[in-house]
Structure formats: C-alpha cells, structure tokens
Amino acid sequence: IIAVFSFLCYLIIKESVNLYSDNKSFFDKYLSTIDTSKMFTDFSKVSGIMSTLTSTAFGVFRFVPLVVTLLLISFVSTIFFLNNLQRFKDILVNKLSSDNSKIILDVVDNTSSIFRKFIKSYLILYLITFIESVFIFSLIDVKYVLVFAFLATVSDLLPVLGPGTVYIPMALYYAFCGKYLQAVSLAIFW
C-alpha cells in the first residue's frame, strides 16, 4: 500500500511539474503585457495596496506555523494515546468498580470501533472520488489527469461544492477555449 501511494504521489508531482513547465510561457507572456505605469497612477494607492498586501501576507505567514504546529502536536499525541490505550483502560478498570468499569470499557470499545469505521468509510469515499475523477478526466481527454483528480479529491472535503470547486472552473475554462464538449461533459459529471 505504501509503495502504491508513493508511486501515486510521484506521478502527481511529475504531472504538476509538467503542468507548470508547459504553461510557463503563458505566464511569462501574460506578465509581460501588463503595463505597470498605467496601473498605478497615485503613490498613495500603491502605498495602501502594499500595506494591505504586507499585513495580509504577515498574517498568513504568522498563521501557518501555528497550524503546522497544532497538526503536528495533534498527530503525535494521537499516536501516543493510541499506543497506550490499553494501559489507560487498565488504569481506569482498576480505579472503578466492576460494574462501572464494564460500562466504561464497552463505551470505549464501541466508540473506537465507530471511529475506525468512520475513518475507513471516508477513506473509501475519497478513493472512489479519485478513481471517478481519473476516469472522467481521462474520458474527456483532460491533460494532467492525476493532478486534477487529486485536487478534486482534496476539494471533496468542502461540504457544499466538493469536487465542483475543480469541475466548474475547468468547465468554464474549456467553454472559454471553445471546447464545448469537454465543458458540458464536466458540468454533467459534476
């Protein structure tokens, strides 16, 4: 399983690099057509925009280490807790009467069983979304199938739109490019 996952990550990274390198000329051409002298005529506007951008960037960069630290601590503490779960159960059973300890153990066992089933069902759901997206994108001849399928799978975490956050912009892109069959297909499959 780890080898398949690693190979899949390699393919996604490889397609991401190809996506960037194939479109680098587009970005260079687009950025060279922007006339910055006409864009900003008043220094105060530029100053206000730069101040806003700087404060926003500072806020984001200040927030990122906090989130990474929180996720890392949560992950490590979960591993330690799960490794010592039996020890916690034994301590709890020794401190309580036999009737109460049986009830507590049943609750803990049922909760952990439900939690495992919950995680397993969501992983299966995301796997189905990934496979479905790969199939759809391959069927309508989308370049960089694995990258967009991975993005659609990650966006499945969003409660309302889910994969639509990838499918809809792609459909609009294909409609603007004149590829109406792909645009309509993406809209229908979403």
Side-chain angles (χ1 to χ4, degrees), residues 58-102:
F58 180 70
V60 168
F61 289 131
R62 188 178 60 186
F63 182 69
V64 168
L66 176 70
V67 169
V68 169
T69 304
L70 179 68
L71 290 175
L72 185 65
I73 289 172
S74 298
F75 181 72
V76 169
S77 63
T78 301
I79 289 174
F80 282 128
F81 181 77
L82 291 177
N83 282 339
N84 294 319
L85 187 60
Q86 187 60 43
R87 194 171 120 208
F88 292 140
K89 283 183 188 178
D90 293 341
I91 291 171
L92 190 60
V93 167
N94 290 336
K95 299 289 181 190
L96 299 173
S97 67
S98 64
D99 293 336
N100 290 337
S101 64
K102 184 178 180 335

Short mmCIF file of all heavy atoms in Angstrom, two decimals, residues 58-102:
data_model
loop_
_atom_site.label_atom_id
_atom_site.label_comp_id
_atom_site.label_asym_id
_atom_site.label_seq_id
_atom_site.Cartn_x
_atom_site.Cartn_y
_atom_site.Cartn_z
N PHE A 58 1.79 38.91 6.18
CA PHE A 58 2.31 38.69 7.52
C PHE A 58 1.34 37.86 8.35
O PHE A 58 1.74 36.96 9.08
CB PHE A 58 2.60 40.03 8.21
CG PHE A 58 3.15 39.89 9.59
CD1 PHE A 58 4.43 39.40 9.80
CD2 PHE A 58 2.37 40.22 10.69
CE1 PHE A 58 4.93 39.26 11.07
CE2 PHE A 58 2.86 40.08 11.97
CZ PHE A 58 4.14 39.59 12.17
N GLY A 59 0.04 38.18 8.24
CA GLY A 59 -0.96 37.41 8.97
C GLY A 59 -1.00 35.96 8.55
O GLY A 59 -1.08 35.06 9.39
N VAL A 60 -0.90 35.72 7.24
CA VAL A 60 -0.91 34.34 6.74
C VAL A 60 0.35 33.60 7.19
O VAL A 60 0.28 32.47 7.68
CB VAL A 60 -1.04 34.32 5.20
CG1 VAL A 60 -0.76 32.94 4.65
CG2 VAL A 60 -2.42 34.79 4.79
N PHE A 61 1.51 34.24 7.05
CA PHE A 61 2.75 33.58 7.42
C PHE A 61 2.85 33.37 8.93
O PHE A 61 3.50 32.44 9.39
CB PHE A 61 3.96 34.35 6.91
CG PHE A 61 4.13 34.26 5.42
CD1 PHE A 61 4.33 35.40 4.67
CD2 PHE A 61 4.08 33.04 4.78
CE1 PHE A 61 4.49 35.31 3.30
CE2 PHE A 61 4.22 32.95 3.41
CZ PHE A 61 4.43 34.09 2.67
N ARG A 62 2.19 34.22 9.69
CA ARG A 62 2.16 34.03 11.13
C ARG A 62 1.23 32.89 11.50
O ARG A 62 1.45 32.18 12.48
CB ARG A 62 1.72 35.32 11.80
CG ARG A 62 1.85 35.30 13.30
CD ARG A 62 1.44 36.59 13.90
NE ARG A 62 0.04 36.83 13.55
CZ ARG A 62 -0.61 37.93 13.82
NH1 ARG A 62 -0.01 38.91 14.43
NH2 ARG A 62 -1.88 38.06 13.47
N PHE A 63 0.20 32.68 10.72
CA PHE A 63 -0.81 31.66 10.99
C PHE A 63 -0.33 30.26 10.59
O PHE A 63 -0.66 29.28 11.25
CB PHE A 63 -2.09 32.02 10.24
CG PHE A 63 -3.23 31.08 10.47
CD1 PHE A 63 -3.85 31.02 11.70
CD2 PHE A 63 -3.67 30.26 9.46
CE1 PHE A 63 -4.91 30.15 11.91
CE2 PHE A 63 -4.72 29.39 9.66
CZ PHE A 63 -5.34 29.34 10.89
N VAL A 64 0.47 30.16 9.53
CA VAL A 64 0.91 28.86 9.01
C VAL A 64 1.70 28.06 10.05
O VAL A 64 1.40 26.88 10.27
CB VAL A 64 1.68 29.03 7.69
CG1 VAL A 64 2.39 27.76 7.29
CG2 VAL A 64 0.75 29.50 6.59
N PRO A 65 2.72 28.63 10.71
CA PRO A 65 3.43 27.82 11.72
C PRO A 65 2.53 27.35 12.85
O PRO A 65 2.71 26.25 13.37
CB PRO A 65 4.51 28.77 12.25
CG PRO A 65 4.68 29.80 11.20
CD PRO A 65 3.36 29.94 10.53
N LEU A 66 1.55 28.18 13.22
CA LEU A 66 0.62 27.78 14.27
C LEU A 66 -0.18 26.55 13.85
O LEU A 66 -0.31 25.59 14.61
CB LEU A 66 -0.32 28.94 14.60
CG LEU A 66 -1.43 28.65 15.60
CD1 LEU A 66 -0.83 28.45 16.99
CD2 LEU A 66 -2.44 29.77 15.61
N VAL A 67 -0.68 26.56 12.63
CA VAL A 67 -1.47 25.43 12.13
C VAL A 67 -0.59 24.17 12.01
O VAL A 67 -1.00 23.08 12.40
CB VAL A 67 -2.13 25.77 10.79
CG1 VAL A 67 -2.73 24.55 10.13
CG2 VAL A 67 -3.18 26.85 10.97
N VAL A 68 0.61 24.34 11.47
CA VAL A 68 1.51 23.19 11.32
C VAL A 68 1.86 22.62 12.69
O VAL A 68 1.85 21.40 12.89
CB VAL A 68 2.78 23.60 10.53
CG1 VAL A 68 3.84 22.52 10.59
CG2 VAL A 68 2.42 23.92 9.10
N THR A 69 2.16 23.49 13.65
CA THR A 69 2.47 23.02 14.99
C THR A 69 1.29 22.32 15.63
O THR A 69 1.44 21.25 16.24
CB THR A 69 2.91 24.22 15.87
OG1 THR A 69 4.00 24.88 15.25
CG2 THR A 69 3.30 23.76 17.25
N LEU A 70 0.10 22.88 15.47
CA LEU A 70 -1.10 22.26 16.02
C LEU A 70 -1.34 20.88 15.41
O LEU A 70 -1.63 19.91 16.13
CB LEU A 70 -2.31 23.16 15.79
CG LEU A 70 -3.65 22.64 16.29
CD1 LEU A 70 -3.66 22.61 17.81
CD2 LEU A 70 -4.77 23.48 15.76
N LEU A 71 -1.22 20.77 14.09
CA LEU A 71 -1.41 19.47 13.44
C LEU A 71 -0.36 18.47 13.88
O LEU A 71 -0.67 17.30 14.12
CB LEU A 71 -1.39 19.64 11.93
CG LEU A 71 -2.60 20.35 11.32
CD1 LEU A 71 -2.39 20.56 9.83
CD2 LEU A 71 -3.87 19.57 11.57
N LEU A 72 0.89 18.91 13.98
CA LEU A 72 1.97 18.01 14.40
C LEU A 72 1.76 17.52 15.82
O LEU A 72 1.89 16.32 16.10
CB LEU A 72 3.32 18.72 14.25
CG LEU A 72 4.55 17.89 14.53
CD1 LEU A 72 4.67 16.79 13.48
CD2 LEU A 72 5.78 18.77 14.50
N ILE A 73 1.43 18.43 16.73
CA ILE A 73 1.20 18.03 18.12
C ILE A 73 -0.01 17.10 18.22
O ILE A 73 0.02 16.11 18.94
CB ILE A 73 1.04 19.28 19.01
CG1 ILE A 73 2.39 19.97 19.16
CG2 ILE A 73 0.47 18.91 20.37
CD1 ILE A 73 2.34 21.29 19.86
N SER A 74 -1.07 17.41 17.48
CA SER A 74 -2.25 16.55 17.50
C SER A 74 -1.92 15.16 16.98
O SER A 74 -2.35 14.15 17.56
CB SER A 74 -3.37 17.16 16.65
OG SER A 74 -3.77 18.38 17.15
N PHE A 75 -1.16 15.08 15.91
CA PHE A 75 -0.79 13.79 15.33
C PHE A 75 0.07 12.98 16.30
O PHE A 75 -0.21 11.80 16.54
CB PHE A 75 -0.04 14.02 14.01
CG PHE A 75 0.36 12.76 13.31
CD1 PHE A 75 -0.59 11.96 12.69
CD2 PHE A 75 1.69 12.37 13.28
CE1 PHE A 75 -0.22 10.79 12.05
CE2 PHE A 75 2.07 11.21 12.64
CZ PHE A 75 1.11 10.42 12.02
N VAL A 76 1.08 13.61 16.88
CA VAL A 76 1.97 12.89 17.80
C VAL A 76 1.21 12.46 19.06
O VAL A 76 1.36 11.33 19.53
CB VAL A 76 3.20 13.78 18.15
CG1 VAL A 76 4.00 13.18 19.29
CG2 VAL A 76 4.07 13.95 16.93
N SER A 77 0.38 13.36 19.60
CA SER A 77 -0.37 12.98 20.81
C SER A 77 -1.37 11.87 20.53
O SER A 77 -1.60 11.01 21.38
CB SER A 77 -1.06 14.20 21.41
OG SER A 77 -2.01 14.71 20.52
N THR A 78 -1.95 11.86 19.34
CA THR A 78 -2.87 10.78 18.98
C THR A 78 -2.13 9.45 18.90
O THR A 78 -2.64 8.43 19.37
CB THR A 78 -3.55 11.09 17.63
OG1 THR A 78 -4.25 12.32 17.74
CG2 THR A 78 -4.50 9.99 17.23
N ILE A 79 -0.94 9.46 18.33
CA ILE A 79 -0.15 8.23 18.25
C ILE A 79 0.19 7.73 19.65
O ILE A 79 0.04 6.54 19.96
CB ILE A 79 1.12 8.45 17.42
CG1 ILE A 79 0.75 8.61 15.95
CG2 ILE A 79 2.11 7.31 17.60
CD1 ILE A 79 1.89 8.98 15.06
N PHE A 80 0.65 8.62 20.53
CA PHE A 80 0.98 8.21 21.89
C PHE A 80 -0.26 7.70 22.63
O PHE A 80 -0.19 6.71 23.36
CB PHE A 80 1.62 9.35 22.68
CG PHE A 80 3.06 9.56 22.35
CD1 PHE A 80 3.52 10.81 22.00
CD2 PHE A 80 3.97 8.51 22.38
CE1 PHE A 80 4.84 11.01 21.69
CE2 PHE A 80 5.30 8.70 22.08
CZ PHE A 80 5.73 9.96 21.73
N PHE A 81 -1.38 8.38 22.44
CA PHE A 81 -2.60 7.95 23.11
C PHE A 81 -3.03 6.57 22.63
O PHE A 81 -3.40 5.71 23.43
CB PHE A 81 -3.72 8.97 22.89
CG PHE A 81 -5.00 8.61 23.57
CD1 PHE A 81 -5.15 8.78 24.92
CD2 PHE A 81 -6.05 8.07 22.84
CE1 PHE A 81 -6.33 8.43 25.56
CE2 PHE A 81 -7.23 7.72 23.46
CZ PHE A 81 -7.37 7.90 24.82
N LEU A 82 -2.99 6.35 21.32
CA LEU A 82 -3.40 5.05 20.79
C LEU A 82 -2.44 3.94 21.19
O LEU A 82 -2.86 2.80 21.40
CB LEU A 82 -3.54 5.13 19.27
CG LEU A 82 -4.71 5.97 18.76
CD1 LEU A 82 -4.69 6.04 17.25
CD2 LEU A 82 -6.04 5.43 19.26
N ASN A 83 -1.15 4.26 21.29
CA ASN A 83 -0.19 3.24 21.72
C ASN A 83 -0.40 2.84 23.17
O ASN A 83 -0.12 1.70 23.56
CB ASN A 83 1.24 3.74 21.53
CG ASN A 83 1.68 3.65 20.10
OD1 ASN A 83 1.12 2.90 19.30
ND2 ASN A 83 2.69 4.41 19.74
N ASN A 84 -0.88 3.77 23.99
CA ASN A 84 -1.07 3.49 25.42
C ASN A 84 -2.53 3.30 25.79
O ASN A 84 -2.88 3.37 26.96
CB ASN A 84 -0.48 4.64 26.25
CG ASN A 84 1.01 4.72 26.09
OD1 ASN A 84 1.68 3.70 26.08
ND2 ASN A 84 1.52 5.93 25.96
N LEU A 85 -3.39 3.04 24.83
CA LEU A 85 -4.82 2.92 25.10
C LEU A 85 -5.12 1.77 26.05
O LEU A 85 -5.93 1.92 26.97
CB LEU A 85 -5.58 2.74 23.78
CG LEU A 85 -7.09 2.77 23.87
CD1 LEU A 85 -7.57 4.11 24.44
CD2 LEU A 85 -7.72 2.53 22.51
N GLN A 86 -4.47 0.65 25.87
CA GLN A 86 -4.71 -0.50 26.75
C GLN A 86 -4.29 -0.17 28.18
O GLN A 86 -4.96 -0.55 29.14
CB GLN A 86 -3.98 -1.73 26.23
CG GLN A 86 -4.31 -3.01 26.98
CD GLN A 86 -5.80 -3.35 26.90
OE1 GLN A 86 -6.41 -3.24 25.86
NE2 GLN A 86 -6.37 -3.75 28.03
N ARG A 87 -3.18 0.53 28.33
CA ARG A 87 -2.72 0.92 29.67
C ARG A 87 -3.73 1.86 30.34
O ARG A 87 -4.02 1.73 31.53
CB ARG A 87 -1.35 1.58 29.56
CG ARG A 87 -0.66 1.69 30.89
CD ARG A 87 0.76 2.14 30.72
NE ARG A 87 0.87 3.40 31.44
CZ ARG A 87 1.69 4.37 31.17
NH1 ARG A 87 2.49 4.26 30.15
NH2 ARG A 87 1.72 5.45 31.90
N PHE A 88 -4.27 2.80 29.56
CA PHE A 88 -5.30 3.70 30.10
C PHE A 88 -6.54 2.91 30.51
O PHE A 88 -7.15 3.20 31.55
CB PHE A 88 -5.68 4.77 29.09
CG PHE A 88 -4.60 5.76 28.80
CD1 PHE A 88 -4.39 6.20 27.50
CD2 PHE A 88 -3.79 6.26 29.80
CE1 PHE A 88 -3.40 7.11 27.22
CE2 PHE A 88 -2.80 7.19 29.54
CZ PHE A 88 -2.60 7.60 28.24
N LYS A 89 -6.90 1.92 29.73
CA LYS A 89 -8.06 1.09 30.07
C LYS A 89 -7.80 0.34 31.39
O LYS A 89 -8.69 0.27 32.25
CB LYS A 89 -8.35 0.08 28.96
CG LYS A 89 -9.03 0.63 27.76
CD LYS A 89 -9.31 -0.52 26.79
CE LYS A 89 -9.82 -0.06 25.47
NZ LYS A 89 -10.04 -1.18 24.54
N ASP A 90 -6.60 -0.23 31.52
CA ASP A 90 -6.27 -0.98 32.73
C ASP A 90 -6.31 -0.08 33.97
O ASP A 90 -6.83 -0.48 35.02
CB ASP A 90 -4.90 -1.63 32.60
CG ASP A 90 -4.88 -2.73 31.54
OD1 ASP A 90 -5.97 -3.22 31.17
OD2 ASP A 90 -3.78 -3.06 31.07
N ILE A 91 -5.78 1.11 33.86
CA ILE A 91 -5.80 2.05 34.99
C ILE A 91 -7.24 2.41 35.35
O ILE A 91 -7.62 2.44 36.52
CB ILE A 91 -4.98 3.31 34.65
CG1 ILE A 91 -3.50 2.97 34.57
CG2 ILE A 91 -5.22 4.42 35.66
CD1 ILE A 91 -2.63 4.10 34.03
N LEU A 92 -8.05 2.65 34.32
CA LEU A 92 -9.45 3.02 34.55
C LEU A 92 -10.22 1.87 35.20
O LEU A 92 -11.02 2.09 36.11
CB LEU A 92 -10.10 3.42 33.22
CG LEU A 92 -11.46 4.06 33.28
CD1 LEU A 92 -11.42 5.34 34.09
CD2 LEU A 92 -11.98 4.32 31.89
N VAL A 93 -9.97 0.65 34.76
CA VAL A 93 -10.67 -0.52 35.32
C VAL A 93 -10.27 -0.72 36.78
O VAL A 93 -11.11 -1.05 37.62
CB VAL A 93 -10.36 -1.78 34.47
CG1 VAL A 93 -10.80 -3.05 35.17
CG2 VAL A 93 -11.03 -1.67 33.12
N ASN A 94 -9.01 -0.53 37.10
CA ASN A 94 -8.56 -0.71 38.48
C ASN A 94 -9.14 0.34 39.42
O ASN A 94 -9.32 0.08 40.60
CB ASN A 94 -7.03 -0.67 38.54
CG ASN A 94 -6.42 -1.90 37.90
OD1 ASN A 94 -7.05 -2.95 37.80
ND2 ASN A 94 -5.19 -1.76 37.43
N LYS A 95 -9.42 1.52 38.95
CA LYS A 95 -9.92 2.61 39.80
C LYS A 95 -11.43 2.54 40.03
O LYS A 95 -11.93 3.10 40.98
CB LYS A 95 -9.60 3.97 39.18
CG LYS A 95 -8.14 4.25 39.00
CD LYS A 95 -7.48 4.48 40.33
CE LYS A 95 -6.00 4.77 40.11
NZ LYS A 95 -5.25 4.77 41.32
N LEU A 96 -12.16 1.88 39.13
CA LEU A 96 -13.62 1.84 39.23
C LEU A 96 -14.11 0.48 39.69
O LEU A 96 -13.40 -0.52 39.65
CB LEU A 96 -14.24 2.16 37.87
CG LEU A 96 -13.93 3.53 37.28
CD1 LEU A 96 -14.47 3.63 35.88
CD2 LEU A 96 -14.54 4.62 38.16
N SER A 97 -15.36 0.45 40.12
CA SER A 97 -15.96 -0.83 40.49
C SER A 97 -16.17 -1.68 39.23
O SER A 97 -16.11 -1.18 38.12
CB SER A 97 -17.29 -0.60 41.21
OG SER A 97 -18.23 -0.05 40.32
N SER A 98 -16.44 -2.94 39.41
CA SER A 98 -16.54 -3.84 38.25
C SER A 98 -17.70 -3.48 37.33
O SER A 98 -17.58 -3.59 36.11
CB SER A 98 -16.67 -5.29 38.73
OG SER A 98 -17.86 -5.45 39.46
N ASP A 99 -18.85 -3.05 37.88
CA ASP A 99 -19.99 -2.68 37.03
C ASP A 99 -19.68 -1.43 36.21
O ASP A 99 -19.94 -1.38 35.00
CB ASP A 99 -21.24 -2.43 37.89
CG ASP A 99 -21.76 -3.71 38.54
OD1 ASP A 99 -21.47 -4.80 38.00
OD2 ASP A 99 -22.44 -3.60 39.57
N ASN A 100 -19.13 -0.43 36.88
CA ASN A 100 -18.80 0.81 36.17
C ASN A 100 -17.68 0.61 35.15
O ASN A 100 -17.70 1.19 34.07
CB ASN A 100 -18.40 1.91 37.16
CG ASN A 100 -19.57 2.40 37.98
OD1 ASN A 100 -20.72 2.26 37.57
ND2 ASN A 100 -19.29 2.95 39.15
N SER A 101 -16.71 -0.20 35.51
CA SER A 101 -15.60 -0.43 34.58
C SER A 101 -16.07 -1.16 33.33
O SER A 101 -15.59 -0.88 32.23
CB SER A 101 -14.48 -1.20 35.27
OG SER A 101 -14.91 -2.49 35.64
N LYS A 102 -17.00 -2.10 33.49
CA LYS A 102 -17.53 -2.81 32.32
C LYS A 102 -18.26 -1.84 31.39
O LYS A 102 -18.09 -1.90 30.18
CB LYS A 102 -18.46 -3.94 32.76
CG LYS A 102 -18.97 -4.78 31.61
CD LYS A 102 -19.84 -5.90 32.11
CE LYS A 102 -20.40 -6.79 31.06
NZ LYS A 102 -20.56 -6.33 29.74
#
